Amino acid sequence: MATRRALALAPWSASKIQTALRCPKLFHYRYVEKLKEPEIMPETRIGKAVHASLEQVLKGMMVPRAVDLGARSLANRDEEDRFRRISQNIPAFVQRIRRFRELHRVERDFVEYRLAMDVDGQSTAFNAASAFYRGIIDLAYAYNEGSLALVDHKSGLRQPNSRIGEQLDGYAVLATSSFRRTARRVMLGVHWISSAEVDWSPALSTAEIDQTLRPTLLASIDAAALAVADGPRPQESTWCLRCSYRSICPQAETARFEPIEVPDPGLV
């Protein structure tokens, strides 16, 4: 069961949970005051441009045109050069998807697919007032009698020994809520764009997702709600160095000189 404090801050998402656990002050800026970001980090712009290009390619656009369109959102030549280096790996991913289709009978594909569930775990509309947790899946395939493959694009450095992240775990919970009648197992994959690799987790049955991932997701949401329960206190870390609100945060000046944790480039 969700706690009152978690219900009061719904709807939740993977990024909202991560923000609350990382820094209550950032959570307050973004989700309570709903302030427009004073500054956007180059990595954020590049990541969004790569995602946008991939989305267009997966919807049928030719790669060169999709990359050119993505480049228009970048601020300078350095960002564009970095973006185009990463985008060189998009064709390799497209080929991988073609091979996947050859091996499996794909019944339906989903690109940037919006899912949401209510507090009881029932599927609901993404923007519904009853939405408790929601997310946008980068890519998903329904194939071979009740199987789902969910893929999350990452533009950061590949971490081959890392566990599939909580974001995909949450997507698995959402997917089983939405496809309960048809999906019997779910595979989760991280597509590392910069190295053209996809890391897959072992397939999970819907029962395993209900028994393990769903309770873990609810616990993470409650922990996030608890983290921000005492108000918008800043939490200093190296994340401050790439925070879009650092120009207005009272803690940011100190954080520039005293980092206290190692950044995780794979989460970009």
Side-chain angles (χ1 to χ4, degrees):
M1 292 293 293
T3 61
R4 286 186 178 181
R5 57 178 172 258
L7 287 168
L9 294 168
W12 290 89
S13 65
S15 59
K16 192 170 182 178
I17 293 170
Q18 292 167 1
T19 300
L21 296 175
R22 187 175 298 149
C23 179
K25 187 70 173 178
L26 174 58
F27 182 92
H28 188 81
Y29 285 145
R30 183 171 291 165
Y31 297 106
V32 180
E33 293 189 46
K34 301 183 186 299
L35 294 181
K36 183 178 179 180
E37 294 175 323
E39 179 183 8
I40 299 178
M41 298 294 105
E43 291 76 13
T44 300
R45 269 194 299 271
I46 294 168
K48 288 182 177 180
V50 173
H51 273 69
S53 297
L54 263 171
E55 178 184 353
Q56 293 305 316
V57 169
L58 292 169
K59 289 180 177 179
M61 185 178 290
M62 298 297 290
V63 172
R65 175 165 171 73
V67 171
D68 287 343
L69 287 175
R72 293 179 185 178
S73 64
L74 302 173
N76 53 55
R77 183 61 180 269
D78 177 66
E79 289 183 14
E80 182 177 345
D81 288 344
R82 292 165 62 189
F83 161 73
R84 289 188 181 277
R85 283 197 297 271
I86 296 173
S87 298
Q88 289 175 354
N89 290 316
I90 291 179
F93 182 69
V94 172
Q95 289 297 324
R96 184 185 291 267
I97 292 300
R98 287 175 181 166
R99 290 196 297 270
F100 179 88
R101 284 183 171 277
E102 291 170 357
L103 291 171
H104 304 281
R105 190 178 66 201
V106 175
E107 298 173 354
R108 189 178 176 189
D109 57 0
F110 310 86
V111 179
E112 293 292 310
Y113 193 62
R114 295 172 177 242
L115 293 175
M117 68 182 187
D118 62 21
V119 70
D120 296 318
Q122 299 300 309
S123 178
T124 189
F126 188 83
N127 292 316
S130 60
F132 177 68
Y133 184 79
R134 61 190 188 181
I136 304 175
I137 299 175
D138 287 338
L139 180 62
Y141 289 99
Y143 67 99
N144 288 14
E145 292 84 27
S147 295
L148 279 174
L150 310 180
V151 180
D152 186 45
H153 305 309
K154 296 290 187 188
S155 55
L157 298 177
R158 185 187 181 207
Q159 299 175 326
N161 296 319
S162 67
R163 178 185 158 278
I164 299 296
E166 287 186 6
Q167 186 172 16
L168 271 170
D169 288 350
Y171 290 164
V173 175
L174 287 171
T176 54
S177 295
S178 296
F179 299 95
R180 185 165 297 279
R181 293 182 180 179
T182 56
R184 291 194 292 273
R185 68 171 198 156
V186 178
M187 289 184 63
L188 306 175
V190 174
H191 169 211
W192 302 100
I193 307 168
S194 61
S195 58
E197 297 288 345
V198 179
D199 292 332
W200 292 98
S201 71
L204 296 170
S205 69
T206 52
E208 290 174 311
I209 292 170
D210 285 339
Q211 292 167 9
T212 59
L213 299 189
R214 192 179 297 273
T216 300
L217 174 62
L218 289 174
S220 296
I221 291 173
D222 190 43
L226 181 62
V228 298
D230 294 333
R233 66 190 186 284
Q235 176 62 51
E236 183 180 327
S237 75
T238 52
W239 284 103
C240 298
L241 298 172
R242 41 184 161 163
C243 177
S244 299
Y245 296 89
R246 64 181 182 176
S247 63
I248 61 174
C249 178
Q251 203 74 11
E253 187 64 33
T254 303
R256 288 192 179 97
F257 301 100
E258 298 179 0
I260 61 173
E261 63 173 287
V262 177
D264 183 356
L267 296 178
V268 176

